Amino acid sequence: MSVNPEVSEPRASMADLPQTEPYYCSFCLRPSEEVEKLVAGHGRIFICDECVATCNDYILTGKSDRPPRASLEKAPTERLLALLKPIEETVEGKSNQLQSVVETLRSRRVSWAHIGQALGISRQAAWERFS
Ligand SMILES: [Zn+2]
């Protein structure tokens, strides 16, 4: 573990994110201070080196023998309170990612009806939500 983990940016620019905040793995919710590396995805989605290793185990062998992370029930209250904002930002990040994908589809002249159909909503609802 290191105080200043190496943060990769294969898919999103970290330059747009405030460097004073801690970032959290979107999978195990550990803060950047507790992981060796954190990989950034689109829209404030991150994954830590240990979660990548677990994913690699699973992809290669169909299982992972790594110990599971402590449950939320056992986490200290202060830790849970500290998680609220990053989790909310992750949700916002996913919303931003959805907006980006929709904008990319629109730039390709994909219709609102087609986008709405893919989301299981009406053309009008898709337009109102994303335009
Ligand atoms: Zn993780």
Side-chain angles (χ1 to χ4, degrees):
M1 293 189 214
S2 70
V3 175
N4 296 310
E6 183 178 325
V7 178
S8 174
E9 48 183 302
R11 296 181 184 271
S13 173
M14 294 294 292
D16 296 337
L17 301 174
Q19 296 302 306
T20 54
E21 313 178 11
Y23 297 103
Y24 287 78
C25 175
S26 302
F27 294 82
C28 68
L29 302 178
R30 285 188 303 152
S32 55
E33 295 83 10
E34 294 183 16
V35 302
E36 289 290 331
K37 294 183 179 177
L38 204 55
V39 179
H42 287 292
R44 301 186 75 104
I45 305 294
F46 303 94
I47 187 167
C48 75
D49 54 306
E50 284 188 34
C51 286
V52 168
T54 299
C55 291
N56 284 338
D57 288 349
Y58 185 74
I59 289 168
L60 291 173
T61 68
K63 63 185 177 82
S64 177
D65 296 327
R66 295 172 194 279
R69 288 269 144 218
S71 67
L72 286 179
E73 288 75 20
K74 294 178 182 174
T77 299
E78 288 304 313
R79 175 71 178 276
L80 295 179
L81 288 170
L83 285 173
L84 291 179
K85 186 70 175 167
I87 291 171
E88 181 183 41
E89 289 171 350
T90 299
V91 171
E92 289 174 10
K94 288 180 181 172
S95 177
N96 291 341
Q97 184 179 25
L98 183 59
Q99 181 74 37
S100 294
V101 171
V102 168
E103 288 173 4
T104 300
L105 290 168
R106 289 295 297 157
S107 74
R108 296 177 184 178
R109 301 186 185 283
V110 174
S111 71
W112 287 115
H114 217 137
I115 292 168
Q117 183 182 25
L119 287 167
I121 60 178
S122 70
R123 178 199 65 79
Q124 182 69 24
W127 179 82
E128 288 175 0
R129 183 170 169 189
F130 298 108
S131 68

